[in-house]
Amino acid sequence: MSTISRRQVIAGVGGVIVGGAVATALPAMAATSNFAKTAEWIPHKVDPAIGERFGYDGYYHKGYGCCYGTFYAIVGQMAEQHGAPYKDFPFHMMEVGKSGISNWATICGALLGAASAFALFYGRKERKAMVDELFRWYEQTAFPIYKPTSDIYVDKEIPTSVSNSVLCHVSVSRWSYTTGIPAKSKVRSERCGRLTADVAKKAIEILNKKIDGKFEGLYGKQESVEYCESCHGNGKESPIAKGKQDCTPCHSGSEATENKFKDHP
Amino acid sequence: MSTISRRQVIAGVGGVIVGGAVATALPAMAATSNFAKTAEWIPHKVDPAIGERFGYDGYYHKGYGCCYGTFYAIVGQMAEQHGAPYKDFPFHMMEVGKSGISNWATICGALLGAASAFALFYGRKERKAMVDELFRWYEQTAFPIYKPTSDIYVDKEIPTSVSNSVLCHVSVSRWSYTTGIPAKSKVRSERCGRLTADVAKKAIEILNKKIDGKFEGLYGKQESVEYCESCHGNGKESPIAKGKQDCTPCHSGSEATENKFKDHP
């Protein structure tokens, strides 16, 4: 057992192994932290109709995209009505979720923006059912729903599809496959701008109910998750599965998941 | 064409259709926003060795998890050394990425925390190569690497695996499948705590180089992405693919993606 403390050990590492600019530029600092408590953020009810439009406009604002759009629709609305601390949030950071994080097409950024807004106000136990409701609704909904009536960026009828997935890759690629419209196109962007409006509105409805103490999730666990967890869930014979996403897009032996690297198409 | 402005239309909606508590609690507000510019955030170099330990400890701090861990390792370090504006960030919000967003196992939260920290300081064009480097490194790396030498939460040898994926579901479930250790267990949590340290350290190395004007990505586009994009990329014959994730985990007809809903196992 070591007779010197972690603080000494790591401060030593910081000073010796980390060389050059970093070591000399930084004041001596221990590698322990007290993780100072941040101020509590109090949620305010906001308007779902306004949020829908903020989401749509926010998506296009500076090209910040879907995650910024839903987050601004919620927290930006609070900022515009209530000032600090909401107005001091560095909103530009929420561009992080654009195209599922720098075009990696992981989580749908609209969902990430909404979940992040929930997380500003509620810890994980309180937030879980809110996120479950929003994400399950998303999996089963034909997007987009929103039809802007003025200041329309791409003034066309936008076809819809159900993604069965909260992942940007599945959501967008399935929509493109179904509609024949390229994944990189103005119409696809418009689809995602309107979807941002839809997610913003739904998230605000959930948040407002939560604030009123009236929130109750309507969407139960997906059948596929129920089925897979019966063997792969916690405490079962092969407890390897992590997650709550609908399992079917990747684990139902569909055409999409056949071997595409051999004899394809 | 409408003869009244969007401002009038939506203000009307806000006042009339949205009923009850929301409508009466809110001051009249238009559904247009100027999306006020937020202050620019300037990055400071931080110590990768300290960040590694902050990541590990941050993962366990209040159970906030992986996303909080990497974000705090970067922005928290700046806060502890440089004060405002870093110290005023509502760090608790970063719990959002725990278990891939409320246990949905989408993006690995450690990656989300790091990408979010990058996004505080760099717009999407500057950030793209930084995220690509971090995410591609993650896909190909056997985790965990970090071995804490003191104050160890779970003091065991932790086996490693390569996930080929930035998704929490694939990263964790493949690790559990490979090692035989349940996805819900203290050892798996320790694996993710140490992985958080690894991602924090790598992200800080990228950030420090970026600040010095010396960042250059070492990881090229994955072969699978190159191959799939040759038909499904922008401008190709079936331009439906969105994303940069390694395509093989879901599109190579592997055992994992066979039909699990029929005659399984």
Side-chain angles (χ1 to χ4, degrees), chain B residues 40 136 174 189:
Chain B
E40 199 181 343
R136 286 179 184 148
R174 186 169 281 188
S189 289

Side-chain angles (χ1 to χ4, degrees), chain B residues 221-243:
Chain B
K221 193 181 279 187
Q222 309 90 321
E223 267 180 49
S224 66
V225 176
E226 199 85 70
Y227 169 80
C228 292
E229 280 185 351
S230 67
C231 289
H232 298 297
N234 184 29
K236 305 298 182 183
E237 63 177 284
S238 171
I240 62 170
K242 173 87 172 166

Side-chain angles (χ1 to χ4, degrees), chain A residues 242, chain B residues 59 172 175-176 182-183 185-192:
Chain A
K242 172 88 171 167
Chain B
Y59 173 86
V172 168
W175 181 86
S176 286
S185 63
K186 287 195 172 170
V187 175
R188 201 278 303 156
S189 289
E190 179 72 8
R191 175 259 185 195
C192 290

Side-chain angles (χ1 to χ4, degrees), chain B residues 209-228:
Chain B
K209 281 187 193 154
K210 181 73 179 175
I211 292 171
D212 278 342
K214 291 177 182 159
F215 168 70
E216 220 177 317
L218 301 174
Y219 290 81
K221 193 181 279 187
Q222 309 90 321
E223 267 180 49
S224 66
V225 176
E226 199 85 70
Y227 169 80
C228 292

